[in-house]
C-alpha cells in the first residue's frame, strides 16, 4: 500500500521533496495547491513540472477515501457517505446542513473497540485505526465537494466511527494538517472531538492546551448505570473521569460538553437527572441530551419527548446549561451511534 499524501505534515513534505532534489520553494507551493486551492491530485498541479507530478503519483495515494455510496435523508438535509479505503475496508461519514451552518461528522477508526452497548459501531468491534491522512482525507473530500457549489464547511465533529482518543496521535496530526495557517486553515474552535472517557488521553489533551472543543460521552449519573452501558467505565470510573474533566476546564478555561443519550427506563428518570445535576454542579459545562437512536443489537429504546423534557427541566432548575439535540438523519442510519460497515 502506498502511503497517503495527506499523512505528511509540512516538515514531512519538505523532507520528501528535498529527497527528490526539488528547490525549497516547492514545499510551500505544493502545500498551498493542495490545502488552499484544494487541488487534490498531481494531475491538478499544472504549475508543477511533469516529472515531479509523476513521481508523487507513483509514490503517494491521493484518494484515501473513495465514495462507494451516498444516501440522502428524506428532508434532504443529511447525507451519509460510505467510503472505501485503500485496503478495501469501509467507513461512514455524515454531512449535515443546518440553517447557516454545514457540519461534517467524520470517522477515526474502522469500527471501534470501546464496546458501548447501544452503539452500532461498538457492536462491530475494532478493525484498525485510520491514518492521519485518512482522517484529513474525509475533510478534504467534503471541502472539495462543497466547493463545487461554492459552499464552505463550518464545523467538524469527530464523532463518527471510532474512539478518537484511542487513535490520539493520528487524530491530532490530521487536525494539524487541516488547521495549518498556510493551507486549509480550519480553526480549532470549529472542531469538536468526542471521547468515551479515556482519562490518560484527556489529561494529555488538557496539557496540549488546544482550542479544539472537547465532548465527553457521559450517559449516566452513576457508575452503576454507566458500567452497564459503557464497559470502559470499569477501567475509568466516573469520579476519576469527572476529576479529569474539571482539570481540563480549569487549565484551559474552556467549556466542556457532556453527551447524554436518554434510554427509556435506564438512565432517564428525574432522580437520574437530579443526581447528574449534583455531579456537574459548578463545572463550566454544557449537557447535550439526545434520545437514544435504536440499533440492531441493543434492546433499549429512546426516551419519549415528554421524559426528555422532564429530565431537562431538572437540569435547568439546577442551573446546568443543557439542550436537547436535534435528531438528524435517523431515517438513513446516519444518527449518533448508527454508523456501521462490514469490515
Ligand atoms: N467514541 C466517541 C465518539 C462516538 S459517537 C465517544 O464515545 O464519544 C458520538 C456520540 O454518539 C457519543 O456520545 C456516543 O456515545 C453517542 N451514541 C452512540 N450510540 C448512540 C445511540 N444509539 N444513540 C444516541 N447516541 C449514541
Amino acid at each position: 500500500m502506498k502511503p497517503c499524501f495527506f499523512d505528511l505534515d509540512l516538515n514531512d513534505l519538505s523532507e520528501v521533496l528535498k529527497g527528490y532534489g526539488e528547490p525549497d520553494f516547492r514545499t510551500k507551493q505544493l502545500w498551498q495547491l493542495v490545502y488552499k486551492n484544494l487541488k487534490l491530485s498531481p494531475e491538478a498541479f499544472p504549475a508543477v513540472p511533469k516529472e515531479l507530478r509523476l513521481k508523487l503519483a507513483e509514490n503517494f495515494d491521493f484518494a484515501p477515501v473513495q465514495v462507494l455510496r451516498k444516501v440522502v435523508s428524506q428532508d434532504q438535509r443529511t447525507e451519509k457517505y460510505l467510503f472505501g479505503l485503500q485496503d478495501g475496508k469501509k467507513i461512514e461519514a455524515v454531512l449535515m446542513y443546518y440553517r447557516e451552518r454545514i457540519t461534517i461528522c467524520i470517522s477515526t477508526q474502522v469500527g471501534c473497540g470501546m464496546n458501548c452497548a447501544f452503539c452500532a459501531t461498538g457492536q462491530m468491534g475494532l478493525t484498525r485505526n485510520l491514518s492521519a491522512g485518512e482522517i484529513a482525507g474525509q475533510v478534504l473530500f467534503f471541502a472539495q465537494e462543497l466547493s463545487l457549489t461554492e459552499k464552505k464547511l463550518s464545523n467538524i465533529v469527530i464523532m463518527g466511527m471510532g474512539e478518537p482518543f484511542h487513535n490520539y496521535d493520528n487524530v491530532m496530526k490530521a487536525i494539524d494538517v487541516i488547521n495549518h495557517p498556510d493551507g486549509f486553515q480550519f480553526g480549532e474552535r470549529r472542531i469538536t472531538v468526542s471521547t468515551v472517557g479515556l482519562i490518560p488521553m484527556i489529561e494529555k489533551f488538557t496539557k496540549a492546551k488546544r482550542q479544539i472543543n472537547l465532548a465527553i460521552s457521559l450517559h449516566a449519573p452513576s457508575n452503576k448505570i454507566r458500567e452497564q452501558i459503557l464497559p470502559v467505565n470499569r477501567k475509568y470510573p466516573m469520579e476519576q473521569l469527572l476529576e479529569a474533566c474539571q482539570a481540563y476546564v480549569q487549565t484551559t478555561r474552556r467549556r466542556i460538553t457532556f453527551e447524554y443519550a436518554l434510554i427509556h427506563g435506564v438512565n432517564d428518570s428525574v432522580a437520574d437527572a437530579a443526581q447528574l445535576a449534583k455531579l456537574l454542579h459548578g463545572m463550566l459545562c454544557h449537557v447535550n441530551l439526545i434520545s437514544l437512536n435504536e440499533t440492531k443489537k441493543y434492546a433499549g429504546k429512546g426516551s419519549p419527548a415528554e421524559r426528555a423534557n422532564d429530565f431537562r427541566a431538572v437540569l435547568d432548575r439546577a442551573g446546568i446549561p443543557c439542550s436537547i439535540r436535534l435528531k438528524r438523519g435517523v431515517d438513513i442510519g446516519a444518527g449518533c451511534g448508527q454508523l456501521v460497515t462490514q469490515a
Side-chain angles (χ1 to χ4, degrees):
M1 256 177 30
K2 291 185 205 177
C4 173
F5 183 84
F6 313 128
D7 278 334
L8 306 174
D9 62 20
L10 195 60
N11 283 337
D12 301 333
L13 179 61
S14 162
E15 287 302 312
V16 168
L17 295 176
K18 239 187 243 159
Y20 293 171
E22 288 293 326
D24 283 347
F25 73 86
R26 199 67 83 200
T27 305
K28 201 157 170 189
Q29 181 195 22
L30 266 181
W31 189 265
Q32 290 189 341
L33 274 171
V34 174
Y35 294 106
K36 235 190 187 120
N37 307 338
L38 293 176
K39 305 289 181 206
L40 300 185
S41 74
E43 304 90 76
F45 305 161
V48 171
K50 191 168 174 199
E51 195 190 330
L52 174 59
R53 277 188 269 151
L54 290 175
K55 224 181 216 165
L56 287 169
E58 197 180 290
N59 292 321
F60 291 97
D61 174 36
F62 283 81
V65 300
Q66 309 248 12
V67 184
L68 300 178
R69 191 170 66 227
K70 170 182 167 184
V71 263
V72 181
S73 68
Q74 222 152 46
D75 66 6
Q76 311 270 309
R77 304 192 60 75
T78 304
E79 299 174 354
K80 182 169 80 164
Y81 288 76
L82 175 69
F83 290 129
L85 309 174
Q86 225 193 132
D87 64 354
K89 303 279 184 270
K90 292 169 194 156
I91 53 165
E92 293 191 318
V94 181
L95 175 69
M96 290 160 281
Y97 292 97
Y98 293 88
R99 203 164 296 149
E100 65 291 299
R101 278 182 301 133
I102 301 178
T103 299
I104 55 169
C105 176
I106 59 169
S107 292
T108 56
Q109 295 179 318
V110 180
C112 184
M114 297 298 118
N115 235 333
C116 303
F118 49 70
C119 176
T121 312
Q123 291 155 9
M124 69 183 267
L126 177 65
T127 303
R128 71 164 172 89
N129 280 334
L130 297 188
S131 72
E134 288 170 327
I135 298 167
Q138 296 168 65
V139 177
L140 297 169
F141 164 82
F142 283 115
Q144 195 182 45
E145 278 284 296
L146 289 168
S147 74
L148 301 177
T149 47
E150 281 169 36
K151 291 202 248 334
K152 271 197 147 166
L153 213 53
S154 6
N155 296 86
I156 298 172
V157 297
I158 306 183
M159 299 191 185
M161 297 172 69
E163 165 51 45
F165 279 8
H166 194 204
N167 186 16
Y168 186 93
D169 291 343
N170 288 347
V171 169
M172 293 304 151
K173 192 169 184 196
I175 294 175
D176 288 338
V177 164
I178 58 170
N179 174 245
H180 199 283
D182 290 329
F184 192 59
Q185 277 192 60
F186 199 89
E188 290 196 348
R189 286 165 183 268
R190 295 190 286 146
I191 301 174
T192 301
V193 61
S194 176
T195 176
V196 72
L198 304 184
I199 295 174
M201 294 299 131
I202 296 173
E203 290 169 348
K204 188 168 177 182
F205 183 73
T206 300
K207 285 203 192 95
K209 290 203 177 172
R210 304 197 56 146
Q211 303 287 311
I212 307 158
N213 303 300
L214 178 62
I216 306 284
S217 296
L218 198 60
H219 300 316
S222 65
N223 283 317
K224 192 163 167 251
I225 298 178
R226 195 167 189 265
E227 67 187 25
Q228 283 169 30
I229 44 185
L230 309 188
V232 75
N233 193 73
R234 283 185 213 121
K235 190 157 181 200
Y236 299 119
M238 282 180 73
E239 314 77 68
Q240 288 166 30
L241 174 60
L242 290 171
E243 237 169 66
C245 293
Q246 189 65 267
Y248 167 80
V249 169
Q250 270 161 8
T251 307
T252 62
R253 311 213 173 270
R254 294 181 64 77
R255 181 185 9 191
I256 196 166
T257 298
F258 291 107
E259 295 159 283
Y260 197 108
L262 293 162
I263 314 171
H264 200 175
V266 173
N267 64 357
D268 69 340
S269 70
V270 292
D272 293 331
Q275 201 176 355
L276 178 68
K278 218 161 142 192
L279 283 179
L280 303 184
H281 179 79
M283 199 185 308
L284 180 61
C285 71
H286 184 93
V287 177
N288 235 327
L289 299 170
I290 179 172
S291 172
L292 184 86
N293 293 318
E294 282 164 35
T295 52
K296 261 198 201 134
K297 296 185 186 152
Y298 183 67
K301 302 261 182 273
S303 307
E306 208 174 276
R307 237 169 127 91
N309 288 333
D310 289 349
F311 194 97
R312 181 197 175 154
V314 174
L315 294 179
D316 277 344
R317 275 199 301 277
I320 310 281
C322 90
S323 49
I324 298 181
R325 203 193 293 173
L326 233 57
K327 283 221 191 192
R328 297 294 300 261
V330 174
D331 60 326
I332 53 169
C336 297
Q338 294 187 312
L339 302 187
V340 65
T341 55
Q342 246 105 44

